[in-house]
Amino acid sequence: MVAALVQQRGFRQKNGRTARGIKALDIDLTTLPGPVRQAADWALQGWEIARQWLLSPAAWSQFALLLTAFALAWLVTRRLRPVLSRALTPEDESSGLLASLRLFLLIFVPLLLPVLAYLLTDVGEGLIRALFGSGAVIAFGKRLFLFLAARILVREIVTDPFLKLIGRMILLPVMALYALGILEPATQFLSDTTIALGNIRFSALSVVRGLIAGSVLFWLGRWSNDRTGGYIERQEMRPATRQLAAKAAELTIYGIAFLLLMNIIGVPLASLAVLGGAIGVGLGFGLQKIASNYISGVILLLEGQATLGDFVELDNGVSGTIVRTTARAMILETFDGRWVVVPNEDFITTRVVNYSDQGSSNRFEVPFSVSYDTDINRVPAIIEEAVATHPAILDSPYPPDCELRGFGDSGVDFAVEFWCNGHDDGPNKFTSDVGFLIWNRLKAHDIEIPFPHRVVELRQTGPEAA
């Protein structure tokens, strides 16, 4: 660190050389703002250290060691990296724990150069310190190699977009400050800078620490939630139970992440009890509907009355397929492409018709009529045979059934009943297809479909009529 190096060489802020450097530059640091004055002080200290390194034989020897270590690491990496890549790359059809471990190690092969340079420099550091009693340049070089390793990690190894953004915005600046030796002064400066919001005061370092920890924790929460959700989806259980387990795991993971974040920032967990009490009072007075919908959603998941993919019709006539469930409501997609948000409470307190019921079949019917001149004893067999040819018509629980419904004004009324999976709307056109089948089969057997006949009688009165 710069402060330690300054003390080792006798370059304090108020010493003679620094004062002469300030006077030579004709700069009055007392007239500058606080952050600018601090940055200028660090710059002058860095200039003094750099000048001392340039004029010191011990520093030149350490520079030579760093260059030698880097050149040797580059030569070894050039020969060793292809060998490691071939050795760690698994065969095309190989799988299992060993293959996964080899792929994991293969990811970190680009770190070979800075790691080797760091290790070789560390080996020579003891000899240099024994000869010259100083190793500031070597310490700077080792930190520089760690910065290069972090840069390679962010650019070549990390593939997740969010982690790559964190690496660029947070990890690389922190490693750059560490390499320059000013990480501790910068941390102390942020710790001394306070931010006030009313009666609440906290340091800028707490804000930075909270942003970093929050980003990492909630990314880990999302990653854990995705893995947990995938594991739950592979289990053999009812869809409603899977969904409830996934929601419970999500709440648990993010709840733990929130508590850890509060602890890292420094917010006492006892204060959360007061916040929980306030939320409870709010639920009791102003958030009754939200609480009711949330509890109704849990009941729906437990009982499995309505889940994703079910086609439901509410008591108010709204119908559609459940495409999404939230803690507050269910979202229905109608056949005209509209999304309808229905509170969970409506599924508990009102009448709901579930046409899907976890994949069960539904019964439909198509009415038709034949002429009174037809031998009606032939009709059921003809129609049942025709309807059974449709690929979506089921034989279970019952095959197609043609029934005589009555004797109408123009013809004999029939209706054919059949079972299908799904609802007769949108992509499914069961009744329309069956209507075509009935028409074509009746025409093929010369069976007439009647139409109404009317007799109109015209009456005239008066002399012309007589």
Side-chain angles (χ1 to χ4, degrees):
M1 298 183 320
V2 173
L5 297 175
V6 170
Q7 292 178 1
Q8 292 177 5
R9 292 166 177 77
F11 293 100
R12 300 181 182 273
Q13 180 179 353
K14 300 298 183 181
N15 66 6
R17 294 183 181 178
T18 304
R20 287 196 299 272
I22 297 173
K23 185 179 293 184
L25 295 175
D26 195 17
I27 298 175
D28 186 6
L29 295 182
T30 59
T31 61
L32 299 176
V36 179
R37 183 169 61 252
Q38 185 67 35
D41 181 34
W42 289 345
L44 289 173
Q45 292 181 15
W47 164 249
E48 291 292 341
I49 294 173
R51 189 169 63 85
Q52 189 71 10
W53 283 355
L54 293 175
L55 300 177
S56 173
W60 280 103
S61 63
Q62 295 177 52
F63 277 121
L65 175 63
L66 289 176
L67 293 176
T68 302
F70 185 81
L72 185 59
W74 182 79
L75 292 174
V76 173
T77 302
R78 186 178 179 183
R79 297 292 183 87
L80 189 59
R81 183 169 178 173
V83 177
L84 287 177
S85 298
R86 289 193 299 269
L88 294 176
T89 302
E91 291 75 10
D92 295 337
E93 299 180 356
S94 61
S95 60
L97 180 61
L98 182 59
S100 301
L101 180 61
R102 291 169 65 182
L103 285 174
F104 179 75
L105 295 176
L106 183 63
I107 297 175
F108 297 95
V109 170
L111 292 175
L112 188 61
L113 175 60
V115 170
L116 280 178
Y118 181 90
L119 295 177
L120 293 175
T121 305
D122 188 66
V123 171
E125 183 180 8
L127 178 61
I128 294 297
R129 289 188 181 274
L131 293 177
F132 299 99
S134 175
V137 178
I138 291 182
F140 170 75
K142 291 171 66 176
R143 295 195 299 269
L144 183 62
F145 292 147
L146 291 179
F147 172 77
L148 293 177
R151 186 170 179 270
I152 293 174
L153 178 67
V154 173
R155 294 187 61 182
E156 301 183 20
I157 297 178
V158 176
T159 57
D160 185 83
F162 183 74
L163 288 183
K164 190 178 286 290
L165 178 63
I166 291 180
R168 290 175 178 174
M169 298 292 104
I170 298 176
L171 179 60
L172 291 183
V174 170
M175 293 302 298
L177 294 176
Y178 175 72
L180 295 175
I182 58 176
L183 179 60
E184 185 173 349
T187 304
Q188 186 63 37
F189 174 76
L190 292 176
S191 180
D192 295 338
T193 304
T194 59
I195 301 174
L197 292 177
N199 296 327
I200 303 176
R201 301 180 64 87
F202 48 88
S203 64
L205 182 62
S206 300
V207 177
V208 175
R209 187 188 298 120
L211 291 175
I212 297 174
S215 301
V216 174
L217 282 175
F218 281 95
W219 179 87
L220 288 174
R222 187 192 67 178
W223 181 84
S224 302
N225 184 54
D226 293 340
R227 297 299 182 276
T228 304
Y231 174 77
I232 293 174
E233 287 295 329
R234 293 192 297 269
Q235 304 305 309
E236 295 183 359
M237 57 181 71
R238 294 172 56 245
T241 306
R242 282 201 303 266
Q243 193 174 3
L244 178 62
K247 289 291 183 183
E250 182 179 2
L251 291 175
T252 302
I253 291 172
Y254 283 108
I256 294 174
F258 176 76
L259 293 178
L260 290 176
L261 179 59
M262 293 296 101
N263 191 20
I264 292 173
I265 294 177
V267 177
L269 297 181
S271 62
L272 296 179
V274 179
L275 179 61
I279 293 176
V281 174
L283 290 175
F285 288 97
L287 303 178
Q288 297 182 16
K289 284 292 184 181
I290 296 178
S292 176
N293 288 323
Y294 181 80
I295 296 174
S296 299
V298 175
I299 294 174
L300 288 173
L301 290 175
L302 288 174
E303 296 183 353
Q305 295 178 357
T307 58
L308 289 175
D310 287 355
F311 185 87
V312 296
E313 181 179 356
L314 304 182
D315 200 17
N316 57 5
V318 176
S319 61
T321 304
I322 301 176
V323 295
R324 185 179 177 185
T325 61
T326 64
R328 187 188 65 86
M330 288 193 178
I331 299 177
L332 308 183
E333 183 178 9
T334 62
F335 286 114
D336 55 3
R338 299 179 182 179
W339 280 23
V340 181
V341 180
V342 182
N344 290 328
E345 185 182 8
D346 291 354
F347 284 85
I348 301 295
T349 59
T350 62
R351 184 181 67 91
V352 178
V353 179
N354 191 336
Y355 290 95
S356 299
D357 191 19
Q358 303 298 331
S360 65
S361 55
N362 300 304
R363 194 191 71 173
F364 306 97
E365 69 173 39
V366 176
F368 65 96
S369 299
V370 297
S371 173
Y372 276 103
D373 297 332
T374 306
D375 182 6
I376 61 174
N377 297 304
R378 301 169 51 208
V379 172
I382 293 173
I383 298 303
E384 292 171 0
E385 180 184 0
V387 174
T389 60
H390 194 285
I393 304 300
L394 303 177
D395 292 332
S396 177
Y398 300 102
D401 181 26
C402 184
E403 299 177 353
L404 175 64
R405 291 296 174 86
F407 301 96
D409 295 338
S410 303
V412 183
D413 298 329
F414 285 88
V416 60
E417 299 175 350
F418 55 92
W419 291 77
C420 293
N421 283 325
H423 189 67
D424 185 31
D425 205 343
N428 300 325
K429 299 178 177 60
F430 302 136
T431 56
S432 175
D433 295 341
V434 171
F436 277 104
L437 291 174
I438 293 174
W439 174 273
N440 294 329
R441 189 57 61 93
L442 292 179
K443 288 293 183 181
H445 287 78
D446 296 327
I447 297 176
E448 180 184 356
I449 298 178
F451 57 89
H453 292 77
R454 296 290 184 266
V455 177
V456 179
E457 182 178 353
L458 299 177
R459 293 184 178 182
Q460 294 182 352
T461 61
E464 295 180 357

Tab-separated table of all heavy atoms in Angstrom, residues 92-126:
chain	number	residue	atom	x	y	z
A	92	ASP	N	-16.218	-37.061	-26.787
A	92	ASP	CA	-17.533	-36.560	-27.195
A	92	ASP	C	-18.672	-37.271	-26.484
A	92	ASP	O	-19.668	-36.651	-26.107
A	92	ASP	CB	-17.702	-36.706	-28.713
A	92	ASP	CG	-16.713	-35.836	-29.478
A	92	ASP	OD1	-16.243	-34.842	-28.897
A	92	ASP	OD2	-16.413	-36.176	-30.644
A	93	GLU	N	-18.569	-38.572	-26.288
A	93	GLU	CA	-19.668	-39.340	-25.707
A	93	GLU	C	-19.501	-39.586	-24.215
A	93	GLU	O	-20.321	-40.275	-23.621
A	93	GLU	CB	-19.788	-40.693	-26.425
A	93	GLU	CG	-20.094	-40.566	-27.914
A	93	GLU	CD	-20.205	-41.911	-28.584
A	93	GLU	OE1	-19.967	-42.937	-27.886
A	93	GLU	OE2	-20.533	-41.956	-29.783
A	94	SER	N	-18.446	-39.068	-23.598
A	94	SER	CA	-18.217	-39.319	-22.180
A	94	SER	C	-19.113	-38.437	-21.335
A	94	SER	O	-19.445	-37.311	-21.704
A	94	SER	CB	-16.758	-39.045	-21.821
A	94	SER	OG	-16.437	-37.688	-22.077
A	95	SER	N	-19.555	-38.958	-20.211
A	95	SER	CA	-20.402	-38.224	-19.277
A	95	SER	C	-20.123	-38.756	-17.875
A	95	SER	O	-19.435	-39.761	-17.696
A	95	SER	CB	-21.880	-38.376	-19.639
A	95	SER	OG	-22.258	-39.739	-19.593
A	96	GLY	N	-20.661	-38.071	-16.905
A	96	GLY	CA	-20.459	-38.484	-15.536
A	96	GLY	C	-19.692	-37.445	-14.741
A	96	GLY	O	-19.379	-36.336	-15.199
A	97	LEU	N	-19.362	-37.808	-13.503
A	97	LEU	CA	-18.708	-36.875	-12.597
A	97	LEU	C	-17.302	-36.512	-13.072
A	97	LEU	O	-16.891	-35.346	-13.011
A	97	LEU	CB	-18.654	-37.485	-11.193
A	97	LEU	CG	-17.998	-36.626	-10.109
A	97	LEU	CD1	-18.762	-35.312	-9.944
A	97	LEU	CD2	-17.940	-37.378	-8.787
A	98	LEU	N	-16.534	-37.491	-13.555
A	98	LEU	CA	-15.167	-37.216	-13.998
A	98	LEU	C	-15.148	-36.280	-15.204
A	98	LEU	O	-14.334	-35.343	-15.272
A	98	LEU	CB	-14.464	-38.528	-14.335
A	98	LEU	CG	-12.988	-38.414	-14.769
A	98	LEU	CD1	-12.165	-37.752	-13.671
A	98	LEU	CD2	-12.425	-39.785	-15.129
A	99	ALA	N	-16.057	-36.500	-16.147
A	99	ALA	CA	-16.109	-35.622	-17.315
A	99	ALA	C	-16.522	-34.211	-16.925
A	99	ALA	O	-15.962	-33.224	-17.440
A	99	ALA	CB	-17.091	-36.183	-18.345
A	100	SER	N	-17.447	-34.097	-15.997
A	100	SER	CA	-17.852	-32.759	-15.533
A	100	SER	C	-16.705	-32.061	-14.822
A	100	SER	O	-16.495	-30.849	-14.990
A	100	SER	CB	-19.059	-32.878	-14.603
A	100	SER	OG	-20.147	-33.491	-15.266
A	101	LEU	N	-15.945	-32.807	-14.021
A	101	LEU	CA	-14.797	-32.212	-13.336
A	101	LEU	C	-13.733	-31.756	-14.321
A	101	LEU	O	-13.139	-30.678	-14.160
A	101	LEU	CB	-14.218	-33.234	-12.347
A	101	LEU	CG	-13.006	-32.773	-11.530
A	101	LEU	CD1	-13.377	-31.570	-10.669
A	101	LEU	CD2	-12.479	-33.910	-10.662
A	102	ARG	N	-13.494	-32.540	-15.360
A	102	ARG	CA	-12.509	-32.138	-16.374
A	102	ARG	C	-12.956	-30.883	-17.119
A	102	ARG	O	-12.146	-29.980	-17.385
A	102	ARG	CB	-12.290	-33.291	-17.353
A	102	ARG	CG	-11.578	-34.484	-16.727
A	102	ARG	CD	-11.613	-35.698	-17.631
A	102	ARG	NE	-10.868	-35.482	-18.851
A	102	ARG	CZ	-10.783	-36.391	-19.839
A	102	ARG	NH1	-11.434	-37.541	-19.721
A	102	ARG	NH2	-10.079	-36.137	-20.915
A	103	LEU	N	-14.237	-30.801	-17.436
A	103	LEU	CA	-14.738	-29.595	-18.096
A	103	LEU	C	-14.630	-28.384	-17.183
A	103	LEU	O	-14.322	-27.270	-17.635
A	103	LEU	CB	-16.193	-29.804	-18.510
A	103	LEU	CG	-16.434	-30.700	-19.733
A	103	LEU	CD1	-17.919	-30.926	-19.937
A	103	LEU	CD2	-15.820	-30.078	-20.980
A	104	PHE	N	-14.868	-28.593	-15.885
A	104	PHE	CA	-14.754	-27.482	-14.942
A	104	PHE	C	-13.318	-26.974	-14.853
A	104	PHE	O	-13.079	-25.759	-14.831
A	104	PHE	CB	-15.256	-27.943	-13.572
A	104	PHE	CG	-15.160	-26.881	-12.497
A	104	PHE	CD1	-16.063	-25.831	-12.477
A	104	PHE	CD2	-14.161	-26.939	-11.538
A	104	PHE	CE1	-15.982	-24.847	-11.494
A	104	PHE	CE2	-14.062	-25.964	-10.558
A	104	PHE	CZ	-14.978	-24.925	-10.540
A	105	LEU	N	-12.364	-27.881	-14.792
A	105	LEU	CA	-10.956	-27.466	-14.746
A	105	LEU	C	-10.515	-26.832	-16.059
A	105	LEU	O	-9.663	-25.931	-16.068
A	105	LEU	CB	-10.075	-28.665	-14.412
A	105	LEU	CG	-10.276	-29.283	-13.020
A	105	LEU	CD1	-9.404	-30.516	-12.852
A	105	LEU	CD2	-9.973	-28.266	-11.924
A	106	LEU	N	-11.078	-27.285	-17.172
A	106	LEU	CA	-10.707	-26.728	-18.474
A	106	LEU	C	-11.072	-25.251	-18.580
A	106	LEU	O	-10.401	-24.484	-19.290
A	106	LEU	CB	-11.403	-27.525	-19.581
A	106	LEU	CG	-11.092	-27.131	-21.030
A	106	LEU	CD1	-9.611	-27.343	-21.340
A	106	LEU	CD2	-11.956	-27.922	-21.997
A	107	ILE	N	-12.101	-24.839	-17.880
A	107	ILE	CA	-12.517	-23.445	-17.938
A	107	ILE	C	-11.417	-22.519	-17.421
A	107	ILE	O	-11.229	-21.403	-17.916
A	107	ILE	CB	-13.822	-23.261	-17.130
A	107	ILE	CG1	-14.950	-24.074	-17.762
A	107	ILE	CG2	-14.218	-21.801	-17.045
A	107	ILE	CD1	-16.232	-24.046	-16.957
A	108	PHE	N	-10.630	-22.973	-16.428
A	108	PHE	CA	-9.652	-22.111	-15.757
A	108	PHE	C	-8.257	-22.194	-16.375
A	108	PHE	O	-7.312	-21.638	-15.809
A	108	PHE	CB	-9.573	-22.475	-14.269
A	108	PHE	CG	-10.857	-22.244	-13.529
A	108	PHE	CD1	-11.762	-23.280	-13.339
A	108	PHE	CD2	-11.182	-20.982	-13.054
A	108	PHE	CE1	-12.956	-23.063	-12.659
A	108	PHE	CE2	-12.379	-20.761	-12.381
A	108	PHE	CZ	-13.256	-21.804	-12.182
A	109	VAL	N	-8.125	-22.854	-17.506
A	109	VAL	CA	-6.810	-22.928	-18.156
A	109	VAL	C	-6.282	-21.544	-18.547
A	109	VAL	O	-5.078	-21.284	-18.440
A	109	VAL	CB	-6.886	-23.869	-19.384
A	109	VAL	CG1	-5.632	-23.779	-20.230
A	109	VAL	CG2	-7.099	-25.306	-18.928
A	110	PRO	N	-7.118	-20.566	-18.987
A	110	PRO	CA	-6.572	-19.234	-19.307
A	110	PRO	C	-5.898	-18.533	-18.143
A	110	PRO	O	-5.130	-17.589	-18.359
A	110	PRO	CB	-7.818	-18.463	-19.780
A	110	PRO	CG	-8.743	-19.510	-20.299
A	110	PRO	CD	-8.524	-20.695	-19.422
A	111	LEU	N	-6.158	-18.959	-16.897
A	111	LEU	CA	-5.509	-18.336	-15.740
A	111	LEU	C	-4.093	-18.840	-15.517
A	111	LEU	O	-3.428	-18.399	-14.561
A	111	LEU	CB	-6.336	-18.596	-14.477
A	111	LEU	CG	-7.706	-17.912	-14.384
A	111	LEU	CD1	-8.433	-18.363	-13.135
A	111	LEU	CD2	-7.540	-16.404	-14.391
A	112	LEU	N	-3.614	-19.721	-16.371
A	112	LEU	CA	-2.304	-20.340	-16.152
A	112	LEU	C	-1.182	-19.309	-16.162
A	112	LEU	O	-0.279	-19.354	-15.312
A	112	LEU	CB	-2.064	-21.409	-17.228
A	112	LEU	CG	-0.823	-22.288	-17.050
A	112	LEU	CD1	-0.896	-23.064	-15.755
A	112	LEU	CD2	-0.679	-23.242	-18.234
A	113	LEU	N	-1.208	-18.349	-17.092
A	113	LEU	CA	-0.120	-17.369	-17.204
A	113	LEU	C	0.009	-16.490	-15.970
A	113	LEU	O	1.095	-16.422	-15.368
A	113	LEU	CB	-0.326	-16.530	-18.462
A	113	LEU	CG	0.673	-15.378	-18.668
A	113	LEU	CD1	2.093	-15.910	-18.763
A	113	LEU	CD2	0.315	-14.570	-19.904
A	114	PRO	N	-1.033	-15.766	-15.526
A	114	PRO	CA	-0.836	-14.918	-14.346
A	114	PRO	C	-0.556	-15.706	-13.070
A	114	PRO	O	0.195	-15.247	-12.207
A	114	PRO	CB	-2.146	-14.139	-14.245
A	114	PRO	CG	-3.144	-14.950	-14.973
A	114	PRO	CD	-2.396	-15.619	-16.076
A	115	VAL	N	-1.127	-16.909	-12.952
A	115	VAL	CA	-0.877	-17.705	-11.742
A	115	VAL	C	0.574	-18.166	-11.702
A	115	VAL	O	1.237	-18.090	-10.648
A	115	VAL	CB	-1.850	-18.899	-11.688
A	115	VAL	CG1	-1.453	-19.864	-10.578
A	115	VAL	CG2	-3.271	-18.410	-11.467
A	116	LEU	N	1.104	-18.638	-12.834
A	116	LEU	CA	2.514	-19.034	-12.874
A	116	LEU	C	3.435	-17.848	-12.607
A	116	LEU	O	4.434	-17.975	-11.883
A	116	LEU	CB	2.834	-19.669	-14.224
A	116	LEU	CG	2.434	-21.128	-14.424
A	116	LEU	CD1	2.788	-21.587	-15.826
A	116	LEU	CD2	3.098	-22.025	-13.387
A	117	ALA	N	3.134	-16.686	-13.195
A	117	ALA	CA	3.953	-15.496	-12.950
A	117	ALA	C	3.922	-15.119	-11.479
A	117	ALA	O	4.964	-14.743	-10.901
A	117	ALA	CB	3.455	-14.343	-13.819
A	118	TYR	N	2.772	-15.222	-10.849
A	118	TYR	CA	2.670	-14.910	-9.419
A	118	TYR	C	3.504	-15.881	-8.586
A	118	TYR	O	4.238	-15.475	-7.671
A	118	TYR	CB	1.205	-14.956	-9.000
A	118	TYR	CG	0.967	-14.627	-7.544
A	118	TYR	CD1	0.740	-13.320	-7.142
A	118	TYR	CD2	0.953	-15.634	-6.573
A	118	TYR	CE1	0.523	-13.007	-5.811
A	118	TYR	CE2	0.739	-15.328	-5.240
A	118	TYR	CZ	0.528	-14.021	-4.856
A	118	TYR	OH	0.311	-13.717	-3.534
A	119	LEU	N	3.426	-17.179	-8.889
A	119	LEU	CA	4.163	-18.172	-8.114
A	119	LEU	C	5.664	-18.020	-8.299
A	119	LEU	O	6.447	-18.110	-7.326
A	119	LEU	CB	3.715	-19.578	-8.517
A	119	LEU	CG	2.260	-19.944	-8.188
A	119	LEU	CD1	1.927	-21.330	-8.715
A	119	LEU	CD2	2.011	-19.864	-6.685
A	120	LEU	N	6.122	-17.795	-9.534
A	120	LEU	CA	7.546	-17.611	-9.772
A	120	LEU	C	8.074	-16.351	-9.086
A	120	LEU	O	9.187	-16.342	-8.548
A	120	LEU	CB	7.814	-17.543	-11.278
A	120	LEU	CG	7.571	-18.843	-12.054
A	120	LEU	CD1	7.743	-18.618	-13.551
A	120	LEU	CD2	8.518	-19.948	-11.580
A	121	THR	N	7.268	-15.283	-9.103
A	121	THR	CA	7.671	-14.061	-8.401
A	121	THR	C	7.741	-14.290	-6.906
A	121	THR	O	8.643	-13.786	-6.216
A	121	THR	CB	6.685	-12.930	-8.714
A	121	THR	OG1	6.599	-12.765	-10.128
A	121	THR	CG2	7.145	-11.614	-8.109
A	122	ASP	N	6.815	-15.063	-6.381
A	122	ASP	CA	6.820	-15.349	-4.945
A	122	ASP	C	8.050	-16.154	-4.544
A	122	ASP	O	8.594	-15.972	-3.449
A	122	ASP	CB	5.543	-16.108	-4.587
A	122	ASP	CG	5.383	-16.263	-3.088
A	122	ASP	OD1	5.208	-15.237	-2.419
A	122	ASP	OD2	5.445	-17.413	-2.594
A	123	VAL	N	8.528	-17.026	-5.432
A	123	VAL	CA	9.738	-17.800	-5.131
A	123	VAL	C	10.960	-16.892	-5.049
A	123	VAL	O	11.823	-17.037	-4.162
A	123	VAL	CB	9.932	-18.903	-6.197
A	123	VAL	CG1	11.286	-19.583	-6.036
A	123	VAL	CG2	8.821	-19.935	-6.098
A	124	GLY	N	11.066	-15.927	-5.979
A	124	GLY	CA	12.229	-15.034	-5.982
A	124	GLY	C	12.145	-13.902	-4.994
A	124	GLY	O	13.145	-13.191	-4.773
A	125	GLU	N	10.970	-13.683	-4.373
A	125	GLU	CA	10.825	-12.563	-3.457
A	125	GLU	C	11.695	-12.730	-2.215
A	125	GLU	O	12.300	-11.760	-1.721
A	125	GLU	CB	9.356	-12.419	-3.054
A	125	GLU	CG	9.092	-11.230	-2.151
A	125	GLU	CD	7.633	-11.113	-1.766
A	125	GLU	OE1	6.859	-12.042	-2.079
A	125	GLU	OE2	7.265	-10.089	-1.155
A	126	GLY	N	11.801	-13.949	-1.715
A	126	GLY	CA	12.611	-14.168	-0.518
A	126	GLY	C	14.076	-13.835	-0.745
A	126	GLY	O	14.732	-13.234	0.121
